[in-house]
Amino acid sequence: MSKNRFTPAYIVSLSAAHVLSKLERELQQPTHAVLVGRDLAHPNKTQQVTLGVIGAYVVVIAILWNVPYIKYILWPFKMLVIAFHEFGHAITAVCTGGRVKSISLDPNEGGVTTMVGGISAITLPAGYLGSSVIGALLIFCGFNIVASKVASLVLGVCFLLTLWWGKRDWLTVLTVLSAVGLLIGCWFIKHAEALRFVVLFIGVMSSLYSVWDICDDLILRKVNSSDASVFAKRYGGSSQCWGVIWSIISVLVMAVGIVAGLAAFSQSFEQQQEDSKHFIPT
Protein backbone atom coordinates (compact mmCIF):
# COMPACT_ATOMS: atom_id res chain seq x y z
CA MET A 1 0.00 0.00 0.00
CA SER A 2 2.80 2.45 0.90
CA LYS A 3 4.49 1.87 -2.44
CA ASN A 4 1.37 2.85 -4.36
CA ARG A 5 0.59 5.93 -2.27
CA PHE A 6 3.17 8.25 -3.85
CA THR A 7 2.39 7.60 -7.49
CA PRO A 8 2.88 10.41 -10.05
CA ALA A 9 -0.90 10.96 -10.15
CA TYR A 10 -0.99 11.36 -6.39
CA ILE A 11 1.91 13.87 -6.41
CA VAL A 12 0.22 15.91 -9.16
CA SER A 13 -3.02 15.98 -7.18
CA LEU A 14 -1.12 17.25 -4.09
CA SER A 15 0.53 20.01 -6.18
CA ALA A 16 -2.80 21.04 -7.66
CA ALA A 17 -4.37 21.13 -4.21
CA HIS A 18 -1.51 23.33 -2.94
CA VAL A 19 -1.93 25.80 -5.83
CA LEU A 20 -5.70 25.95 -5.37
CA SER A 21 -5.30 26.48 -1.64
CA LYS A 22 -2.84 29.35 -2.22
CA LEU A 23 -5.14 30.93 -4.81
CA GLU A 24 -8.07 30.65 -2.41
CA ARG A 25 -6.11 32.46 0.31
CA GLU A 26 -5.21 35.27 -2.09
CA LEU A 27 -8.81 35.65 -3.20
CA GLN A 28 -9.85 35.99 0.42
CA GLN A 29 -7.86 39.25 0.74
CA PRO A 30 -9.96 42.40 1.37
CA THR A 31 -11.61 43.80 -1.74
CA HIS A 32 -9.76 47.12 -1.57
CA ALA A 33 -6.43 45.25 -1.49
CA VAL A 34 -7.33 43.31 -4.61
CA LEU A 35 -8.56 46.35 -6.52
CA VAL A 36 -5.93 48.86 -5.47
CA GLY A 37 -3.07 46.50 -4.73
CA ARG A 38 -1.83 48.57 -1.80
CA ASP A 39 -2.94 51.07 0.83
CA LEU A 40 -2.33 54.54 -0.62
CA ALA A 41 -2.84 56.10 2.79
CA HIS A 42 0.25 54.29 4.08
CA PRO A 43 3.07 54.63 1.49
CA ASN A 44 6.14 52.47 1.96
CA LYS A 45 9.58 53.86 2.84
CA THR A 46 10.64 54.41 -0.78
CA GLN A 47 7.42 56.24 -1.58
CA GLN A 48 7.78 58.35 1.57
CA VAL A 49 11.22 59.47 0.41
CA THR A 50 9.79 60.39 -2.98
CA LEU A 51 6.97 62.41 -1.39
CA GLY A 52 9.49 64.20 0.82
CA VAL A 53 11.62 65.07 -2.20
CA ILE A 54 8.57 66.45 -4.03
CA GLY A 55 7.76 68.68 -1.05
CA ALA A 56 11.37 69.89 -0.85
CA TYR A 57 11.36 70.69 -4.58
CA VAL A 58 8.26 72.87 -4.20
CA VAL A 59 10.01 74.95 -1.54
CA VAL A 60 13.36 75.15 -3.35
CA ILE A 61 11.85 76.17 -6.70
CA ALA A 62 9.68 78.81 -5.02
CA ILE A 63 12.79 80.31 -3.42
CA LEU A 64 15.04 80.12 -6.49
CA TRP A 65 12.45 81.33 -9.02
CA ASN A 66 13.21 85.05 -8.64
CA VAL A 67 16.32 85.34 -6.47
CA PRO A 68 18.91 87.43 -8.36
CA TYR A 69 21.82 85.50 -9.86
CA ILE A 70 20.87 82.26 -8.11
CA LYS A 71 17.79 82.01 -10.34
CA TYR A 72 20.06 81.16 -13.29
CA ILE A 73 20.37 77.67 -11.80
CA LEU A 74 16.81 77.11 -13.02
CA TRP A 75 17.44 78.64 -16.46
CA PRO A 76 17.53 75.43 -18.58
CA PHE A 77 14.58 73.90 -16.74
CA LYS A 78 12.69 77.16 -17.00
CA MET A 79 13.29 77.14 -20.75
CA LEU A 80 11.93 73.61 -21.00
CA VAL A 81 8.85 74.34 -18.88
CA ILE A 82 8.10 77.45 -20.95
CA ALA A 83 8.39 75.24 -24.03
CA PHE A 84 5.80 72.84 -22.57
CA HIS A 85 3.57 75.84 -21.94
CA GLU A 86 3.86 77.14 -25.50
CA PHE A 87 3.40 73.64 -26.96
CA GLY A 88 0.06 73.55 -25.14
CA HIS A 89 -0.99 76.73 -26.95
CA ALA A 90 0.26 75.47 -30.30
CA ILE A 91 -1.34 72.02 -30.14
CA THR A 92 -4.77 73.31 -29.13
CA ALA A 93 -4.60 76.02 -31.79
CA VAL A 94 -4.07 73.42 -34.49
CA CYS A 95 -6.77 71.14 -33.03
CA THR A 96 -9.31 73.97 -33.04
CA GLY A 97 -8.68 74.99 -36.64
CA GLY A 98 -5.92 77.55 -36.13
CA ARG A 99 -2.41 77.86 -37.49
CA VAL A 100 0.83 78.46 -35.59
CA LYS A 101 3.08 81.12 -37.11
CA SER A 102 5.93 81.14 -34.60
CA ILE A 103 7.05 80.22 -31.08
CA SER A 104 9.60 82.23 -29.10
CA LEU A 105 11.04 81.35 -25.70
CA ASP A 106 12.80 83.51 -23.13
CA PRO A 107 13.01 82.83 -19.38
CA ASN A 108 13.01 86.56 -18.53
CA GLU A 109 10.25 87.78 -20.84
CA GLY A 110 8.19 84.60 -21.00
CA GLY A 111 7.24 82.65 -24.11
CA VAL A 112 5.03 83.79 -26.96
CA THR A 113 3.11 81.66 -29.46
CA THR A 114 1.90 83.61 -32.46
CA MET A 115 -1.11 81.94 -34.08
CA VAL A 116 -3.94 82.65 -36.46
CA GLY A 117 -7.46 81.36 -35.83
CA GLY A 118 -8.37 78.70 -33.30
CA ILE A 119 -10.70 79.04 -30.34
CA SER A 120 -9.05 81.44 -27.89
CA ALA A 121 -11.26 80.29 -25.01
CA ILE A 122 -9.45 76.95 -25.33
CA THR A 123 -6.00 77.97 -26.57
CA LEU A 124 -5.35 80.60 -23.86
CA PRO A 125 -5.68 78.34 -20.77
CA ALA A 126 -4.14 75.39 -22.67
CA GLY A 127 -0.63 76.68 -21.97
CA TYR A 128 -0.90 76.43 -18.21
CA LEU A 129 -3.06 73.32 -18.23
CA GLY A 130 -0.88 71.61 -20.84
CA SER A 131 2.29 72.15 -18.81
CA SER A 132 0.40 70.89 -15.75
CA VAL A 133 -0.55 67.64 -17.47
CA ILE A 134 3.02 67.12 -18.72
CA GLY A 135 4.33 67.85 -15.23
CA ALA A 136 1.93 65.34 -13.66
CA LEU A 137 3.08 62.67 -16.12
CA LEU A 138 6.73 63.37 -15.24
CA ILE A 139 5.94 63.17 -11.51
CA PHE A 140 4.19 59.86 -12.16
CA CYS A 141 7.30 58.56 -13.97
CA GLY A 142 9.53 59.93 -11.21
CA PHE A 143 8.25 57.30 -8.80
CA ASN A 144 10.09 54.58 -10.76
CA ILE A 145 13.56 54.33 -12.34
CA VAL A 146 12.53 52.50 -15.53
CA ALA A 147 9.66 54.93 -16.12
CA SER A 148 12.10 57.81 -15.53
CA LYS A 149 14.43 56.39 -18.15
CA VAL A 150 11.64 56.49 -20.70
CA ALA A 151 10.70 60.02 -19.65
CA SER A 152 14.32 61.21 -19.84
CA LEU A 153 14.59 60.14 -23.49
CA VAL A 154 11.60 62.34 -24.31
CA LEU A 155 12.97 65.17 -22.15
CA GLY A 156 16.32 65.07 -23.96
CA VAL A 157 14.58 65.62 -27.29
CA CYS A 158 12.46 68.40 -25.75
CA PHE A 159 15.57 70.15 -24.41
CA LEU A 160 17.16 70.17 -27.86
CA LEU A 161 13.95 71.45 -29.46
CA THR A 162 13.82 74.16 -26.82
CA LEU A 163 17.34 75.17 -27.75
CA TRP A 164 16.29 75.35 -31.40
CA TRP A 165 13.24 77.57 -30.76
CA GLY A 166 14.59 79.68 -27.91
CA LYS A 167 17.05 82.56 -27.97
CA ARG A 168 20.41 80.98 -28.63
CA ASP A 169 22.86 83.22 -26.77
CA TRP A 170 25.93 81.58 -25.27
CA LEU A 171 24.38 81.32 -21.79
CA THR A 172 21.24 79.59 -23.08
CA VAL A 173 23.24 77.16 -25.21
CA LEU A 174 25.58 76.34 -22.33
CA THR A 175 22.84 75.83 -19.75
CA VAL A 176 20.56 73.75 -21.97
CA LEU A 177 23.43 71.51 -23.06
CA SER A 178 24.43 71.19 -19.39
CA ALA A 179 20.90 70.02 -18.59
CA VAL A 180 21.12 67.40 -21.34
CA GLY A 181 24.49 66.34 -19.93
CA LEU A 182 22.91 66.07 -16.47
CA LEU A 183 20.26 63.69 -17.79
CA ILE A 184 22.90 61.56 -19.51
CA GLY A 185 25.16 61.53 -16.46
CA CYS A 186 22.33 60.43 -14.17
CA TRP A 187 21.94 57.25 -16.24
CA PHE A 188 25.28 56.07 -14.83
CA ILE A 189 24.61 56.75 -11.14
CA LYS A 190 23.43 53.62 -9.29
CA HIS A 191 21.68 52.22 -12.37
CA ALA A 192 19.96 55.57 -13.04
CA GLU A 193 18.48 55.96 -9.56
CA ALA A 194 19.50 59.65 -9.59
CA LEU A 195 17.67 60.11 -12.89
CA ARG A 196 14.25 59.77 -11.35
CA PHE A 197 14.92 62.67 -8.98
CA VAL A 198 15.80 64.91 -11.94
CA VAL A 199 12.60 63.83 -13.70
CA LEU A 200 10.69 64.58 -10.49
CA PHE A 201 12.24 68.04 -10.32
CA ILE A 202 11.19 68.95 -13.86
CA GLY A 203 7.75 67.47 -13.20
CA VAL A 204 7.18 69.59 -10.09
CA MET A 205 8.41 72.71 -11.86
CA SER A 206 6.14 72.10 -14.84
CA SER A 207 3.12 71.17 -12.70
CA LEU A 208 3.30 74.40 -10.72
CA TYR A 209 4.41 76.64 -13.59
CA SER A 210 1.09 78.48 -13.53
CA VAL A 211 1.67 79.35 -9.85
CA TRP A 212 5.21 80.62 -10.49
CA ASP A 213 4.14 82.49 -13.62
CA ILE A 214 1.20 84.21 -11.92
CA CYS A 215 3.62 85.39 -9.23
CA ASP A 216 5.84 86.77 -11.98
CA ASP A 217 2.92 88.69 -13.44
CA LEU A 218 1.76 90.11 -10.12
CA ILE A 219 5.21 90.99 -8.74
CA LEU A 220 7.73 91.40 -11.57
CA ARG A 221 5.43 92.25 -14.49
CA LYS A 222 7.08 90.41 -17.39
CA VAL A 223 7.46 92.09 -20.78
CA ASN A 224 4.99 89.76 -22.46
CA SER A 225 1.39 89.94 -21.24
CA SER A 226 0.06 86.88 -19.47
CA ASP A 227 -2.53 84.46 -20.79
CA ALA A 228 -4.70 85.31 -17.78
CA SER A 229 -4.75 89.04 -18.60
CA VAL A 230 -5.61 88.39 -22.26
CA PHE A 231 -8.33 85.92 -21.24
CA ALA A 232 -9.80 88.46 -18.79
CA LYS A 233 -9.97 91.18 -21.46
CA ARG A 234 -11.80 88.89 -23.87
CA TYR A 235 -14.12 86.99 -21.55
CA GLY A 236 -14.45 89.13 -18.43
CA GLY A 237 -13.23 88.77 -14.88
CA SER A 238 -9.79 89.71 -13.63
CA SER A 239 -6.43 88.27 -14.57
CA GLN A 240 -5.80 87.45 -10.91
CA CYS A 241 -9.06 85.50 -10.72
CA TRP A 242 -8.32 83.41 -13.80
CA GLY A 243 -4.74 82.93 -12.69
CA VAL A 244 -5.86 81.58 -9.32
CA ILE A 245 -8.41 79.24 -10.97
CA TRP A 246 -5.82 77.84 -13.35
CA SER A 247 -3.32 77.50 -10.50
CA ILE A 248 -5.82 75.49 -8.43
CA ILE A 249 -6.47 73.21 -11.41
CA SER A 250 -2.71 72.74 -11.86
CA VAL A 251 -2.30 71.73 -8.21
CA LEU A 252 -5.16 69.23 -8.53
CA VAL A 253 -3.65 67.74 -11.69
CA MET A 254 -0.32 67.44 -9.87
CA ALA A 255 -2.08 65.62 -7.03
CA VAL A 256 -3.53 63.15 -9.53
CA GLY A 257 -0.02 62.44 -10.82
CA ILE A 258 1.24 61.80 -7.29
CA VAL A 259 -1.64 59.45 -6.41
CA ALA A 260 -1.18 57.57 -9.69
CA GLY A 261 2.53 57.19 -8.96
CA LEU A 262 1.81 55.81 -5.49
CA ALA A 263 -0.73 53.36 -6.91
CA ALA A 264 1.44 52.14 -9.80
CA PHE A 265 4.93 51.97 -8.27
CA SER A 266 5.49 50.40 -4.86
CA GLN A 267 8.88 48.83 -5.55
CA SER A 268 11.75 49.51 -3.16
CA PHE A 269 14.91 51.30 -4.29
CA GLU A 270 16.67 47.93 -4.49
CA GLN A 271 13.96 46.37 -6.65
CA GLN A 272 13.89 49.40 -8.94
CA GLN A 273 17.65 49.19 -9.42
CA GLU A 274 17.33 45.50 -10.28
CA ASP A 275 14.58 46.23 -12.81
CA SER A 276 16.65 49.06 -14.28
CA LYS A 277 19.49 46.64 -15.04
CA HIS A 278 17.26 44.95 -17.61
CA PHE A 279 16.09 48.13 -19.39
CA ILE A 280 18.88 49.86 -21.33
CA PRO A 281 21.45 48.91 -18.67
CA THR A 282 24.34 51.26 -17.88
Side-chain angles (χ1 to χ4, degrees), residues 29 43 81 212 226 235:
Q29 292 180 354
V81 170
W212 319 133
S226 70
Y235 301 102

Side-chain angles (χ1 to χ4, degrees), residues 25-40 263 266:
R25 289 196 302 271
E26 292 180 352
L27 290 176
Q28 289 175 350
Q29 292 180 354
T31 304
H32 75 273
V34 175
L35 295 177
V36 179
R38 60 194 61 92
D39 189 353
L40 298 181
S266 62

Side-chain angles (χ1 to χ4, degrees), residues 260-274:
L262 290 172
F265 304 116
S266 62
Q267 303 91 337
S268 64
F269 285 123
E270 294 76 17
Q271 182 59 52
Q272 290 189 32
Q273 289 179 14
E274 187 63 29

Side-chain angles (χ1 to χ4, degrees), residues 84-253:
F84 290 156
H85 178 93
E86 300 307 325
F87 288 158
H89 289 310
I91 291 173
T92 52
V94 173
C95 291
T96 56
R99 179 171 59 89
V100 178
K101 297 178 65 176
S102 65
I103 297 177
S104 64
L105 307 172
D106 185 273
N108 292 324
E109 300 175 3
V112 174
T113 299
T114 304
M115 57 189 118
V116 178
I119 302 175
S120 60
I122 297 176
T123 59
L124 285 173
Y128 288 132
L129 303 184
S131 61
S132 298
V133 171
I134 293 173
L137 289 173
L138 291 176
I139 290 175
F140 170 78
C141 292
F143 276 83
N144 182 265
I145 296 178
V146 172
S148 295
K149 282 187 172 183
V150 176
S152 70
L153 297 175
V154 178
L155 283 174
V157 174
C158 291
F159 266 123
L160 296 178
L161 289 176
T162 301
L163 185 62
W164 177 263
W165 275 311
K167 292 184 177 180
R168 282 171 280 177
D169 58 275
W170 68 270
L171 180 60
T172 300
V173 172
L174 179 61
T175 51
V176 172
L177 290 180
S178 297
V180 174
L182 176 64
L183 287 176
I184 296 174
C186 286
W187 276 68
F188 298 92
I189 301 176
K190 296 182 69 174
H191 301 288
E193 181 178 315
L195 182 65
R196 77 186 194 95
F197 293 107
V198 176
V199 171
L200 271 176
F201 181 84
I202 300 174
V204 170
M205 193 168 176
S206 185
S207 289
L208 298 180
Y209 175 69
S210 60
V211 178
W212 319 133
D213 201 49
I214 292 300
C215 290
D216 271 355
D217 291 334
L218 296 178
I219 300 173
L220 299 180
R221 299 294 178 184
K222 297 179 304 184
V223 174
N224 295 321
S225 60
S226 70
D227 299 329
S229 62
V230 175
F231 193 92
K233 289 178 181 178
R234 294 185 183 181
Y235 301 102
S238 66
S239 59
Q240 292 88 347
C241 176
W242 289 114
V244 169
I245 291 174
W246 295 342
S247 296
I248 292 174
I249 295 174
S250 297
V251 172
L252 293 177
V253 172

